[in-house]
Every structure is written in C-alpha cells, then in structure tokens.
Amino acid sequence: AFDGQGQCVRVPQQEEGSAPCRSRRAAVLALPIMEAQGVIWVWGGGLFESAAVTPPEESGPALVDVLERPGVEHSDYSRDLHMDWSTLCENVMDPAHLPFTHHKTISRRSKAAPISFGALENFSHTGFTAVRQTAGGPGRLTFR
C-alpha cells in the first residue's frame, strides 16, 4: 500500500518494517486527484516532461452542471476496455467506424451512413461543439 506521496507504507505479504518499504525503489508516482460527480479524476501532467505537474487552478475536469442540481439522479455504467487512452480517443472521435468494425455486435453494416457536422461552435484550445446529423436524427458533439 502507498501513501498520498507515493511512498510504500505496507506490503501485505511481509512483516511490519521489512526492508522493501524502506527502499527508495518501493514507491510510485503520486498524481493529483479529485472526486467529482462520482468519478475520480487524475491529473496526469506529471507523466509528461513538458506538461504542468500540478493542475491549473482555474480549470478542472469537464463536469456536467445539471448533475449538481438537487433531485437529479443518474446511474453509472462502466466497462473495462483493454486498450490505451490513444486507441480509445481515436475510436470515440470516429463514430463512422461502428457499422464496419462492430458489425453484428453493437451495429450493422446496413446502418452505415454519412455523418455530417455543422459549423464548429465555441472552438478554442479547450475543445469545441458541433451540431451533427445522422440517420438517427440531430445531435451535438462536444469535445473537451
């Protein structure tokens, strides 16, 4: 087990005070975290040489304001995806791949259709929003 600074404080299979916990090598990188809306958010800037190690004070994760209103309830769904973050982002950003890549699982090739996007709104270094039109009807894509 590790403390908030990433130092080893206990090895369950070893006696108290044994050498591995006192070793400099028995440590992990500690990253800033916060809990919001039932999700644990991790600031990963410390993983990259050119990134800020601590999160900017003025920003945080993109939260859904309506979830903070009294009386609003939501349910969570989670699934283990055995891929790295770049593969996940690539797939989320490419909804047109669903009918082909996931044929006979979560989609069908017969559902393939153009996905048109309107003009980008609120475009900045933090993301954008765009209106989209699919066979299923209108929607909005927000990327932050």
Side-chain angles (χ1 to χ4, degrees):
F2 300 91
D3 65 15
Q5 286 71 48
Q7 297 302 308
C8 178
V9 293
R10 187 173 68 87
V11 177
Q13 298 84 356
Q14 294 184 330
E15 295 178 20
E16 285 291 322
S18 61
C21 267
R22 292 191 303 259
S23 169
R24 286 189 336 209
R25 293 176 48 198
V28 295
L29 177 63
L31 299 171
I33 64 166
M34 69 176 280
E35 186 277 331
Q37 298 182 339
V39 176
I40 297 174
W41 299 89
V42 179
W43 177 260
L47 298 173
F48 306 98
E49 288 181 34
S50 62
V53 175
T54 58
E57 292 292 324
E58 69 278 356
S59 65
L63 301 177
V64 180
D65 294 336
V66 71
L67 294 178
E68 301 295 328
R69 293 182 188 164
V72 171
E73 293 190 28
H74 66 282
S75 62
D76 294 320
Y77 169 82
S78 66
R79 180 174 167 187
D80 287 332
L81 299 172
H82 301 285
M83 63 184 77
D84 65 25
W85 67 268
S86 62
T87 303
L88 177 62
C89 287
E90 181 178 312
N91 281 279
V92 169
M93 292 299 292
D94 179 23
H97 86 279
L98 287 169
F100 301 99
T101 307
H102 303 288
H103 179 62
K104 293 186 178 179
T105 57
I106 60 172
S107 191
R108 301 276 183 270
R109 289 189 183 114
S110 62
K111 292 186 176 187
I115 301 173
S116 61
F117 289 93
L120 296 179
E121 304 167 3
N122 305 318
F123 184 79
S124 74
H125 71 283
T126 62
F128 63 86
T129 300
V131 175
R132 80 172 180 204
Q133 184 66 41
T134 65
R140 295 180 73 71
L141 169 73
T142 299
F143 179 76
R144 295 188 201 270

